[in-house]
Amino acid sequence: MKKTRVIWKLLLMMVVLLFGVSTVFAQSELRKVMKERGLTEKDLLAAAKTYTPTGKHDPYIVFSSGGQSGQILVYGVPSMRIYKVLAVFTPEPWQGYGYDDESKKVLEGGKVRGRYITWGDSHHPALSETNGDYDGQYLFINDKAHARVAVIDLKDFVTKQIVKNPIMKSDHGGCFVTPNTKYVLETTQYAAPFDNKYHSIKEYNKVFRGAMTFWRFDRKKGRIIPEKSFSVELPPYMQDLADAGKGISDGWAFTNSWNSERYTGGIEEGNPPFEAGCSANDTDYLHVINWKGVEKEVEAGHYKLINGHKVVTLKTLVKKGLIYLIPEPKSPHGVDVSPSGRYIIVSGKLDTHASVYDFKKILNLIKKKDFIGKDPYGIPILSMRKSLHGQVELGLGPLHTQFDSKDGIVYTSLYVDSAVVKWDYKRLKVLDKIQVHYNIGHLVTPHGDTVHPRGHYLIALNKLAVDRFNNIGPLHPQNHQLIDISGKKMQMLYDLPIPIGEPHYAVMIDAKLLKPEVRYKLGWNPYEDSRSPYRTLPGRERIVRKGNRVEVFATAIRSHINPERIVVKKGDIVTIHVTNLERAEDETHGFGIYGYNVQFSLEPGKTSSATFVADKEGVFPYYCTEFCSALHLEMFGYLIVKP
Ligand code: CUK
Ligand code: CUA
């Protein structure tokens, strides 16, 4: 009895000693590292808030526009680990996007007047919503340069569709979704004629137009239905960002504009430059559009077909009372609707204030027909003073606003000041400010543009990085800065250099809402969400010749491609279909051929095809381009083209 007690005591002492020693050891090691790397306690706290040990997952996922790359960047928060570049408007060989027949079809959907375009200027991603909150099902993004919209399905993170706007030459106010994703909004940037004919700039007021397009989204099909989509004609005021109403403003849409002057430039003729002419007036116009009313007009057949697309004209909009203008401080940029849908926050690049409009007041003025005048197109104008809840001085160059989980709290980016300001849009006062590096454009908080913002984190999407990173040449990465917004004061946590084009907007979603698949059904064409007619089962591999057309039905599974020899004649039209037979998670094979610009990414179950003319004789090795197994190098074959 006594003996065991002594042993117990000894054991306990050992544990205390060991534990104590290891803690002391860890502490001294930590101090050493801090000293060596010049870290403060504040740095350590920031590190602890972002560090994500191996195997741990992130609670939030960000979808960031990839700017001129035409792609979308996916990264985790708070780790800021980059997961993927989603191929959208631009071919991307790792994913085989633009290098197999199936994905080429998607890219061809975005042709501009018959021309195949291989880049985009992606600006604003939007997540699909159910009852005004993200549902994790779909992602949309616009291409400002060509007025196109892409649909990405989040069940496999693949771009399924690109639609070209039939009447616009550029867009900006998109994508924004209505609260149940019935429509995806796209709004013009640079006014232009709807047709594709020659027009003199002198016809600006008469022929040049803006528009807001309501792309009808079919959630079951996971596609935009162009035939069920429509647009409203807008004056050539250079519409900017937009937003869809929700809650009390559901059924309405809003867009800014920055050229109520309808200035048409011409420095070559001695006119003032665009930037001066477009900012001559003190105010521009916030457009308030009753889209549910417009929808009814479309159903009643009150539209004009332009380039085969339904357009409700300004005349109809004015006649039916479906559009209103409200002055807003000149050259505004962001227009953001509050979670309840009651407040609309507008920030002007050339004004230090944010203007908070009250939709209740706006509705009242419309009901009472309390207008201060009409614009040259007959659109009623509401009083700015009577529509405003109030204005708050925020700082220089306020651009965009995101919402917090706490009632009334918002964050606005200050481009010129290089700062984020935290303020209360209901009580109209500034609460906190943090410096960012440098020149912030958009910012994002989790679910920050929905009816249910989550708070916790904010990311500043900075345009300039200047000295923040190692010098890698004159073209600098951009800088996404993670900020902790859970406390009273904002705290800077982490810098993420962005290695693709200039991101404009980003959206951040609770990772639990994303439930992507890890494998496809066997023989799947993900671009059409159906079994490929060219799928091949094991033992059914074959080469079929019909005249000068050769069709190869191939399979890939660790560690061989079947067939291993494909012999054709010079001039044959060759189509190769490859099906990945794997069922194991992450067992992707590739398929690349020498000299024919073919590269597949064959995720488990996927079937990809490539068609080309074997126009050169010779020996062309093909091989699996993913290191899939110990015998990966042996996973190859020969395409032999006989003279
Ligand atoms: S824009 Cu780029 S910073 Cu296209 Cu939303 Cu404001
Ligand atoms: Cu299959 Cu490498």
Side-chain angles (χ1 to χ4, degrees), residues 331-351:
S331 299
H333 195 42
V335 48
D336 297 286
V337 177
S338 72
S340 72
R342 175 162 172 190
Y343 299 99
I344 302 145
I345 300 174
V346 171
S347 332
K349 293 166 288 202
L350 300 181
D351 187 65

Side-chain angles (χ1 to χ4, degrees), residues 431-444:
L431 302 170
D432 187 26
K433 228 179 231 193
I434 190 169
Q435 219 54 48
V436 296
H437 313 88
Y438 302 89
N439 298 85
I440 178 174
H442 278 268
L443 35 58
V444 61

Side-chain angles (χ1 to χ4, degrees), residues 8-260:
W8 257 116
K9 262 193 183 167
L10 264 169
L11 264 170
L12 210 78
M13 266 169 71
M14 268 171 72
V15 167
V16 168
L17 254 169
L18 266 173
F19 183 72
V21 166
S22 75
T23 316
V24 169
F25 179 75
Q27 269 180 7
S28 73
E29 177 78 6
L30 189 63
R31 249 179 253 128
K32 201 175 124 210
V33 173
M34 282 173 75
K35 212 174 144 200
E36 271 171 14
R37 302 198 62 213
L39 301 175
T40 64
E41 271 183 18
K42 217 175 139 197
D43 295 333
L44 236 58
L45 185 64
K49 285 182 179 181
T50 59
Y51 176 67
T52 307
T54 178
K56 287 257 159 65
H57 293 182
D58 281 301
Y60 294 107
I61 296 292
V62 170
F63 296 96
S64 169
S65 98
Q68 306 89 334
S69 74
Q71 315 290 46
I72 290 177
L73 194 68
V74 185
Y75 63 83
V77 169
S79 75
M80 305 301 268
R81 295 177 297 194
I82 294 177
Y83 294 130
K84 207 180 228 179
V85 175
L86 299 183
V88 184
F89 295 111
T90 307
E92 200 291 309
W94 171 50
Q95 291 154 74
Y97 189 75
Y99 300 90
D100 61 38
D101 293 349
E102 289 84 353
S103 60
K104 274 183 196 162
K105 259 194 176 170
V106 174
L107 279 161
E108 278 167 9
K111 277 188 175 178
V112 176
R113 296 178 74 179
R115 182 169 286 141
Y116 184 65
I117 303 280
T118 55
W119 77 286
D121 186 12
S122 60
H123 272 238
H124 305 107
L127 284 157
S128 59
E129 295 179 7
T130 299
N131 298 324
D133 198 7
Y134 301 154
D135 51 36
Q137 291 183 6
Y138 295 96
L139 182 67
F140 310 92
I141 194 159
N142 70 311
D143 163 20
K144 167 168 166 164
H146 308 99
R148 299 184 296 176
V149 167
V151 180
I152 298 111
D153 193 334
L154 294 176
K155 79 171 176 283
D156 55 2
F157 285 51
V158 166
T159 302
K160 307 284 171 164
Q161 186 184 25
I162 297 174
V163 288
K164 166 76 191 91
N165 194 294
I167 56 171
M168 293 180 195
K169 311 299 187 268
S170 70
D171 71 25
H172 198 213
C175 297
F176 300 96
V177 299
T178 55
N180 281 305
T181 323
K182 185 171 185 185
Y183 295 103
V184 181
L185 273 56
E186 182 190 16
T187 315
T188 318
Q189 177 94 90
Y190 305 113
F194 285 163
D195 64 31
N196 289 322
K197 296 191 191 115
Y198 164 79
H199 293 280
S200 152
I201 196 80
K202 294 203 178 79
E203 293 179 82
Y204 188 82
N205 292 352
K206 230 182 94 203
V207 178
F208 286 53
R209 286 292 178 269
M212 186 184 274
T213 298
F214 297 82
W215 289 106
R216 180 78 158 88
F217 185 63
D218 184 327
R219 199 186 278 268
K220 258 210 191 127
K221 290 202 179 98
R223 300 291 186 278
I224 281 171
I225 313 292
E227 311 80 66
K228 289 190 181 166
S229 307
F230 57 87
S231 295
V232 295
E233 178 191 8
L234 299 175
Y237 295 156
M238 303 298 189
Q239 283 74 28
D240 200 34
L241 278 179
D243 205 356
K246 50 185 161 240
I248 126 164
S249 56
D250 187 13
W252 295 75
F254 308 93
T255 179
N256 281 330
S257 61
W258 47 259
N259 188 17
S260 57

